[in-house]
């Protein structure tokens, strides 16, 4: 749904409740699970007609950084963007959990629904991974899947955060203004990377002060 006025808390609550009866708006569920690069998305025939995106940033080094990054994902800190709100940030990271995403861009509010498709929690070295993907529901402005993942290479000690997605327009207004939609998607991913970087860094500095 879209509006020039910000939806009220009641509006958002009603929207969130309605998601229980909604279906996914795309067929290739869990398509992002094994993606390691943008080339993986481009080569996979399942994603023909979708636009692939792959973003990555180094958060730091060491197991402590990895644990902080996991904590950030569990509390939806990767949505720490001024113009986007997640309802609700205490939603548990479990398969089947629904969330409402309120965005305010280009003077318009959009409210979209998504559902967690899978969770990754891998502990075996040399590459430990934690994260999840949510898939768009019928009432999302886009159609596709987005994965948020942190990785820890126990050999190099490097910790990275990745945003991987494939999407296409799902509403008439996102189809008409698709270049703008792509710009907004790119902006969110870039700001999500920075939000994670800043939160993990500030969290570690707080620990040192204490």
């Amino acid at each position: 749904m879209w509006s020039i006025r910000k939806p009220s808390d009641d509006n958002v609550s009603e929207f969130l409740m309605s998601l229980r009866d909604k279906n996914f708006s795309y067929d290739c569920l869990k398509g992002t699970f094994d993606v390691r690069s943008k080339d993986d998305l481009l080569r996979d025939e399942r994603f023909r007609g979708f636009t692939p995106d792959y973003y990555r940033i180094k958060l730091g080094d060491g197991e402590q950084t990895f644990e902080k990054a996991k904590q950030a994902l569990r509390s939806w800190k990767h949505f720490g963007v001024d113009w986007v709100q997640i309802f609700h940030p205490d939603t548990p990271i479990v398969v089947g959990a629904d969330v409402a995403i309120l965005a305010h861009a280009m003077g318009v509010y959009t409210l979209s629904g998504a559902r967690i498709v899978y969770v990754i929690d891998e502990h075996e070295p040399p590459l430990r991974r934690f994260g999840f993907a949510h898939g768009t529901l019928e009432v999302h402005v886009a159609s596709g899947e987005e994965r948020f993942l942190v990785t820890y290479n126990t050999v190099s000690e490097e910790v990275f955060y990745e945003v991987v997605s494939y999407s296409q327009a799902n509403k008439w207004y996102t189809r008409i203004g698709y270049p703008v939609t792509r710009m907004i998607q790119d902006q969110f991913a870039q700001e999500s990377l920075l939000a994670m970087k800043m939160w993990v860094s500030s969290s570690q500095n707080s620990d040192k002060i204490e």
Side-chain angles (χ1 to χ4, degrees):
M1 61 173 287
W2 67 276
S3 173
I4 59 173
R5 294 183 178 180
K6 184 177 182 179
S8 66
D9 290 344
D10 287 342
N11 292 151
V12 175
S13 295
E14 290 174 7
F15 179 83
L16 193 53
M17 289 286 289
S18 74
L19 299 183
R20 298 176 181 177
D21 300 323
K22 303 302 181 184
N23 297 316
F24 288 105
S25 60
Y26 67 108
D27 295 324
C28 41
L29 297 180
K30 302 183 181 179
T32 56
F33 187 85
D34 290 318
V35 172
R36 303 285 176 167
S37 68
K38 189 171 183 177
D39 286 340
D40 289 345
L41 292 167
L42 292 171
R43 287 192 296 261
D44 198 318
E45 290 295 323
R46 293 176 301 168
F47 309 136
R48 186 174 296 276
F50 289 89
T51 301
D53 284 308
Y54 183 93
Y55 302 84
R56 187 170 185 248
I57 190 172
K58 182 176 178 179
L59 298 179
D61 299 281
E63 186 169 6
Q64 182 182 14
T65 299
F66 181 56
E67 292 300 324
K68 292 293 183 183
K70 288 167 60 177
Q71 180 184 347
L73 284 186
R74 288 193 181 103
S75 53
W76 299 84
K77 300 301 183 185
H78 54 296
F79 270 80
V81 177
D82 290 343
W83 51 278
V84 179
Q85 286 180 269
I86 193 80
F87 293 90
H88 292 282
D90 59 353
T91 300
I93 306 302
V94 295
V95 174
D98 292 334
V99 291
I101 303 164
L102 177 63
H104 184 217
M106 310 298 289
V108 175
Y109 290 94
T110 57
L111 194 56
S112 296
R115 179 172 297 144
I116 294 180
V117 181
Y118 65 80
V119 178
I120 295 175
D121 192 5
E122 300 172 349
H123 303 275
E124 293 298 319
L127 189 66
R128 295 168 58 186
R129 305 197 307 162
F130 177 81
F132 68 95
H134 63 215
T136 59
L137 301 176
E138 299 163 319
V139 287
H140 199 292
V141 295
S143 177
E145 192 171 288
E146 192 165 31
R147 185 189 76 190
F148 308 97
L149 183 74
V150 291
T151 64
Y152 172 41
N153 188 311
T154 58
V155 177
S156 68
E157 291 283 299
E158 293 178 305
V159 179
F160 283 91
Y161 167 55
E162 302 174 359
V163 180
V164 175
S165 67
Y166 52 89
S167 65
Q168 59 185 196
N170 190 43
K171 301 296 180 183
W172 65 265
Y173 47 88
T174 51
R175 293 190 186 98
I176 292 174
Y178 195 60
V180 175
T181 300
R182 290 294 301 140
M183 180 185 70
I184 292 171
Q185 288 176 324
D186 177 73
Q187 182 180 349
F188 168 75
Q190 297 284 1
E191 291 188 22
S192 179
L193 297 184
L194 294 177
M196 283 287 286
K197 177 77 173 179
M198 292 177 62
W199 193 88
V200 170
S201 298
S202 63
S203 179
Q204 288 177 315
N205 290 338
S206 296
D207 288 346
K208 290 178 182 178
I209 294 174
E210 293 175 356

